[in-house]
């Protein structure tokens, strides 16, 4: 029996370390039980992944949830899933293509016109390590969608968010930002050989810098 103790102890140590590392990297579980009845929440890229789970949890808490996505078929399906699981019928799909400044402006205009308030804006959508594509307006895709699209959306909705205070703007970045470097002379990778990983890290660093400056400007 004793010959199994050391391997089992080592296995237990490894398993425990893995759980602790997971909690450290992911930030653990949210302990809050707060509800948000009457509050309007916009979640970009909410048809799948983190965005969908965020929308699902906030719908459970009673919010008026707007799923803002490029693919309306997937967005409508996600909204239907969330309504069915939470029995919250205030979950709606709206078209938003962050690779198009025109689409962003149209989305923001409809929100300003149709929504009485916007309490929470969650800038979640993003693309990761794609080929050297460009947005409708000619920006490198990862920088254009991950940062510039959300930058414009946030600024267009800023007055509505201020009017709904106390409100929140949440920008999702990534640990990849620590490896980021912003080349202000070649943001769109027009003169350098394209590196999809470096472009992704650049976009995530830009989000962090934007968030820090936005926080400074909106202090108080």
């Amino acid at each position: 029996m004793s010959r199994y103790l050391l391997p089992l102890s080592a296995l237990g140590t490894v398993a425990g370390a893995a759980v602790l590392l997971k909690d450290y990297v992911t930030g653990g579980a949210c302990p809050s039980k707060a509800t948000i009845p009457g509050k309007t929440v916009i979640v970009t890229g909410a048809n799948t992944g983190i965005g969908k789970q965020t929308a699902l949890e906030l719908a459970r808490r009673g919010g008026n949830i707007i799923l803002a996505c490029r693919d309306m078929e997937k967005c409508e399906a996600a909204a239907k899933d969330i309504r069915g699981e939470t029995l919250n019928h205030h979950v709606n799909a709206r078209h938003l293509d962050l690779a198009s400044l025109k689409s962003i402006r149209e989305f923001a205009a409809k929100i300003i016109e149709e929504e009485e308030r916007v309490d929470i804006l969650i800038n979640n959508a993003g693309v990761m390590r794609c080929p050297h594509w460009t947005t409708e307006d000619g920006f490198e895709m990862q920088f254009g969608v991950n940062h510039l699209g959300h930058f414009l959306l946030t600024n267009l909705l800023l007055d509505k968010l201020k009017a709904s205070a106390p409100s929140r703007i949440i920008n999702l970045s990534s640990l990849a930002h620590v490896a980021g470097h912003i080349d202000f002379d070649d943001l769109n990778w027009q003169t350098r050989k394209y590196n999809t990983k470096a472009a992704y890290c650049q976009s995530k660093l830009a989000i962090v810098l934007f968030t820090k400056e936005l926080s400074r400007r909106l202090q108080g």
Side-chain angles (χ1 to χ4, degrees):
M1 180 67 180
S2 59
R3 64 177 177 173
Y4 297 112
L5 290 178
L6 185 59
L8 287 172
S9 177
L11 183 61
T13 300
V14 170
V19 170
L20 291 173
L21 178 62
K22 176 180 178 293
D23 285 347
Y24 174 76
V25 172
T26 62
C30 175
S32 172
K33 303 297 183 184
T35 58
I36 53 170
K39 292 189 180 293
T40 297
V41 183
I42 298 172
V43 186
T44 68
N47 62 289
T48 188
I50 294 173
K52 184 177 180 182
Q53 289 304 309
T54 300
L56 174 66
E57 181 59 31
L58 293 176
R60 281 198 184 106
R61 295 174 185 237
N64 169 34
I65 314 299
I66 298 172
L67 280 58
C69 312
R70 179 180 57 84
D71 187 322
M72 281 303 292
E73 184 177 347
K74 292 180 180 179
C75 195
E76 292 282 7
K80 183 179 179 181
D81 286 347
I82 293 171
R83 287 193 297 267
E85 189 164 338
T86 64
L87 301 182
N88 179 347
H89 297 291
H90 300 289
V91 179
N92 297 290
R94 297 279 188 93
H95 180 257
L96 171 65
D97 183 357
L98 287 160
S100 164
L101 300 186
K102 179 174 181 286
S103 175
I104 296 167
R105 292 184 187 279
E106 289 174 348
F107 174 85
K110 285 184 179 180
I111 292 294
I112 292 168
E113 178 184 355
E114 298 174 7
E115 298 299 326
E116 183 178 341
R117 57 190 300 116
V118 175
D119 300 275
I120 306 171
L121 171 63
I122 302 178
N123 291 321
N124 161 79
V127 292
M128 181 179 181
R129 302 183 75 165
C130 60
H132 194 187
W133 296 335
T134 57
T135 68
E136 181 178 289
D137 305 280
F139 301 114
E140 186 273 321
M141 184 63 75
Q142 296 182 90
F143 192 73
V145 170
N146 298 352
H147 170 55
L148 293 179
H150 284 130
F151 177 90
L152 177 60
L153 177 64
T154 301
N155 279 280
L156 291 173
L157 294 178
L158 206 50
D159 286 343
K160 179 71 80 171
L161 285 154
K162 286 179 179 179
S164 307
S167 49
R168 286 290 177 95
I169 300 166
I170 300 169
N171 297 327
L172 272 74
S173 185
S174 162
L175 284 173
H177 83 274
V178 300
H181 168 74
I182 298 180
D183 187 336
F184 289 98
D185 295 320
D186 189 22
L187 291 173
N188 293 309
W189 295 81
Q190 294 172 320
T191 62
R192 295 171 287 164
K193 182 179 179 181
Y194 188 66
N195 182 320
T196 187
K197 178 182 176 182
Y200 178 74
C201 294
Q202 172 182 254
S203 74
K204 291 300 178 178
L205 176 58
I207 293 169
V208 172
L209 297 177
F210 166 50
T211 305
K212 289 177 71 68
E213 177 61 16
L214 185 66
S215 177
R216 186 187 70 81
R217 294 191 183 197
L218 295 180
Q219 187 172 7

